Amino acid sequence: MRKAIVSLAVFAIAAAPPPPPTPQVRSPGDAVKAAPAGDWIEIPASDLLVMDLAGGKRVVIQLAPQFAPVHVANIRAMARSGYWSKATIYRVVDNWVTQWGLGDGPFPAPPGVVARPPEEYQRSAAGLTLMPMGSPDPYSAMAAYSDGWPVAMQVGGTVNATYCYGAVGVARDAAPDTGNSSELFAVIGSTARRLDRNYALVGRVIDGMENLSALPRGTAEMGVYAKNQVATPITAVRIAADMPAAQRPRFEYLRTGSPAFADYVQLASHRADYGVPSPGAALCAVPVPVRKKTS
Amino acid sequence: MRKAIVSLAVFAIAAAPPPPPTPQVRSPGDAVKAAPAGDWIEIPASDLLVMDLAGGKRVVIQLAPQFAPVHVANIRAMARSGYWSKATIYRVVDNWVTQWGLGDGPFPAPPGVVARPPEEYQRSAAGLTLMPMGSPDPYSAMAAYSDGWPVAMQVGGTVNATYCYGAVGVARDAAPDTGNSSELFAVIGSTARRLDRNYALVGRVIDGMENLSALPRGTAEMGVYAKNQVATPITAVRIAADMPAAQRPRFEYLRTGSPAFADYVQLASHRADYGVPSPGAALCAVPVPVRKKTS
């Protein structure tokens, strides 16, 4: 019986007609590859938070001062003062967030840190260049991109940064406290957009995401690591601009106002390269292309 | 200076007024807790695929015969024959999928396995009871639930299962091959709905998801484990119905036609318990409640 099945399978393979010529269906990656060099914008070194972990691993976060200027100023001040020199990654919740910092304190913040920043959960659209994303967004009136970031415009005209995979937010106890950015989290799951407009979004992971997402999940309450689990030590947290120039990591993103980006969004929203194209896509499923800058 | 800041912080905490009485804002969990026992439906033991991993870890998958009957029959036949006795988890791609099976073969399939199943990517709505989810869905004309599953209805009236977090699909080489279910993958990321209607969806992980999502990411091509990485051995794959009754894991889901479920969807789609409620939510962000059956 087994032999018959095997023979049948072999026959089926042998008898299968050669595949038809593959039509030239372009993928989103094709659009990115075709973008001219001038469409890539380097991220300022002052906006790169470089977090080194035990074991020689590194996470690089692009900060978002245009959405949370006071929180980002706090983060820069803490990084420059060595505030996080004994910080760890101490909480990991599956399909939700990975969180780090000093944990339960009090740990007096360094000079210049605003103890109680404003909410910074959303902002005026004034001064932003919005490119509509084109698919319906359950979380807003309109999904869009603005200067390299996925954003949402709400009824009333405010704009907020969005909790896509890799987004970095500020942990806090309870409203109206917004946290001071000493404890941060990154989204490692698929359901975090309900945090939009409720937690300050200060950046996004642009490199080393797997060093946050593949960690063991915490087994104590709220996904905090239990006593028999080992929190990952954070060995250094620096702003790239404070590092020697030759050591700074450098990244660039595809200009969200460019024709190449519009082409990419169109292709990524309908993925004809997979077979049946979807009518649209989620904002978070069409991330802004970011790459290491090599020259 | 530091002292002044510290004092200010202490003062701010000491002087903070007591929090106002918390209004009774109900969470989605409240709706689930309030569901009467009769609204929970046990998943048939013949639909539970129990996958044991090295180290005493376990993953339980609910199969979806209503969407992919031939593929699910293949899976049952492979489990019962011990086909996967030397299988491993050999591919992990961040924000994408974890994949397992025997890897590159050929490994002759056991008797009863259909070598080339039909696509089973979508089906008629006939015989399904659809409950509209209520938020716009970029991937379809209407997001809904059907007998405990998140589904999408397309223009034309077909219905497909959806690649939410934890969805299990059939790996394949290239169209028009659909795979025979010998190699499976689970979604560990946030952007997989572009697989809808392009890859056969055969089930979803309902327990032990962290045993698939927290694995080290593969560093070889396509996220396959490199030679210096250790693939996780799969020690047993069984259908719960084939296990001794006392050893079978048992699970139940909240009936998607129940008032409690409608209440849950409403609360989960707008999350007033977080502060600013969103106008809606993604289908995959409002999963069907599933829990262990304890009695």
Side-chain angles (χ1 to χ4, degrees):
Chain A
M1 184 63 170
R2 170 170 292 200
K3 187 161 178 294
I5 293 289
V6 173
S7 301
L8 187 64
V10 171
F11 175 78
I13 290 167
T22 306
Q24 289 301 314
V25 179
R26 295 168 66 234
S27 76
D30 291 333
V32 175
K33 274 181 214 151
D39 280 349
W40 292 88
I41 300 178
E42 181 165 8
I43 299 169
S46 57
D47 285 352
L48 292 179
L49 188 71
V50 182
M51 187 162 80
D52 289 327
L53 311 180
K57 294 177 176 174
R58 172 171 283 183
V59 174
V60 180
I61 294 164
Q62 178 184 8
L63 299 171
Q66 70 275 44
F67 294 107
V70 179
H71 284 90
V72 167
N74 275 4
I75 289 169
R76 291 187 180 124
M78 290 187 216
R80 285 172 179 156
S81 73
Y83 176 74
W84 283 303
S85 63
K86 293 185 178 174
T88 62
I89 301 173
Y90 58 79
R91 180 184 180 220
V92 185
V93 185
D94 197 60
N95 197 21
W96 188 233
V97 300
T98 289
Q99 187 169 323
W100 63 90
L102 295 168
D104 291 337
F107 300 101
V113 168
V114 176
R116 290 183 171 271
E119 286 192 346
E120 302 185 324
Y121 297 160
Q122 51 193 322
R123 54 160 287 172
S124 154
L128 297 181
T129 303
L130 295 180
M131 183 209 153
M133 188 260 179
S135 291
D137 179 28
Y139 297 92
S140 73
M142 185 183 78
Y145 299 93
S146 172
D147 299 321
W149 291 79
V151 302
M153 178 174 269
Q154 303 294 339
V155 172
T158 61
V159 174
N160 58 275
T162 52
Y163 274 98
C164 295
Y165 189 81
V168 176
V170 178
R172 59 174 171 81
D173 288 331
D177 178 24
T178 66
N180 71 351
S181 292
S182 59
E183 311 295 308
L184 299 173
F185 65 85
V187 172
I188 64 164
S190 59
T191 67
R193 287 206 52 205
R194 61 177 183 256
L195 301 178
D196 285 11
R197 297 187 291 164
N198 287 310
Y199 282 73
L201 195 157
V202 294
R204 61 176 166 188
V205 177
I206 57 172
D207 197 42
M209 185 62 198
E210 67 280 8
N211 298 321
L212 299 175
S213 61
L215 294 170
R217 278 46 178 156
T219 59
E221 196 175 2
M222 302 284 288
V224 169
Y225 276 0
K227 286 180 181 172
N228 65 343
Q229 295 187 288
V230 180
T232 305
I234 298 172
T235 56
V237 182
R238 290 170 288 182
I239 300 292
D242 298 334
M243 299 169 69
Q247 294 177 20
R248 292 177 195 162
R250 298 174 70 190
F251 290 87
E252 57 190 2
Y253 66 92
L254 188 57
R255 185 164 62 86
T256 43
S258 67
F261 184 79
D263 187 26
Y264 160 78
V265 171
Q266 176 68 18
L267 291 168
S269 299
H270 308 290
R271 291 308 291 254
D273 56 322
Y274 269 67
V276 177
S278 55
L283 174 64
C284 294
V286 187
V288 175
V290 175
R291 67 183 187 188
K292 286 186 182 171
K293 188 169 169 65
T294 52
S295 62
Chain B
M1 184 65 171
R2 169 170 293 200
K3 187 162 178 295
I5 295 288
V6 173
S7 301
L8 185 65
V10 170
F11 174 78
I13 290 167
T22 307
Q24 288 301 316
V25 178
R26 295 167 66 234
S27 76
D30 292 334
V32 175
K33 275 181 212 152
D39 280 348
W40 292 89
I41 299 178
E42 182 165 6
I43 298 169
S46 56
D47 285 352
L48 293 179
L49 188 72
V50 183
M51 187 162 79
D52 290 327
L53 311 180
K57 294 177 176 174
R58 173 172 283 185
V59 173
V60 181
I61 293 164
Q62 178 185 6
L63 298 172
Q66 70 275 46
F67 294 106
V70 179
H71 285 89
V72 166
N74 274 5
I75 289 170
R76 289 186 182 124
M78 290 188 214
R80 285 172 179 156
S81 74
Y83 177 75
W84 283 302
S85 64
K86 294 185 179 174
T88 62
I89 302 173
Y90 59 78
R91 180 184 179 221
V92 186
V93 184
D94 197 60
N95 197 22
W96 189 233
V97 300
T98 289
Q99 186 170 323
W100 63 90
L102 295 168
D104 290 336
F107 300 101
V113 168
V114 175
R116 291 183 171 268
E119 288 192 344
E120 301 185 324
Y121 298 159
Q122 51 191 323
R123 53 160 288 172
S124 154
L128 297 181
T129 304
L130 296 180
M131 182 209 153
M133 188 260 178
S135 291
D137 179 28
Y139 297 92
S140 72
M142 185 182 78
Y145 299 94
S146 172
D147 300 322
W149 291 79
V151 301
M153 178 174 269
Q154 303 293 340
V155 172
T158 60
V159 174
N160 59 274
T162 52
Y163 274 97
C164 296
Y165 190 82
V168 175
V170 178
R172 60 173 170 81
D173 287 331
D177 179 24
T178 67
N180 70 352
S181 291
S182 59
E183 312 295 307
L184 299 173
F185 64 85
V187 171
I188 63 164
S190 59
T191 66
R193 286 206 53 205
R194 63 176 181 256
L195 300 178
D196 286 11
R197 298 188 289 164
N198 286 310
Y199 281 74
L201 194 158
V202 294
R204 62 176 166 188
V205 177
I206 58 171
D207 197 42
M209 184 63 198
E210 68 278 10
N211 298 321
L212 299 175
S213 61
L215 294 171
R217 278 45 180 157
T219 58
E221 196 175 4
M222 302 284 288
V224 169
Y225 278 180
K227 286 181 181 172
N228 65 344
Q229 296 187 288
V230 180
T232 304
I234 297 173
T235 57
V237 182
R238 290 171 287 180
I239 299 293
D242 297 334
M243 299 169 69
Q247 293 176 19
R248 291 176 196 163
R250 297 174 67 191
F251 291 87
E252 57 190 3
Y253 66 92
L254 188 57
R255 185 164 62 85
T256 42
S258 68
F261 184 78
D263 187 25
Y264 159 78
V265 171
Q266 176 67 18
L267 291 169
S269 298
H270 307 290
R271 291 306 292 255
D273 56 321
Y274 269 67
V276 177
S278 56
L283 174 64
C284 295
V286 187
V288 175
V290 175
R291 67 184 185 187
K292 286 185 181 171
K293 188 169 170 64
T294 53
S295 62

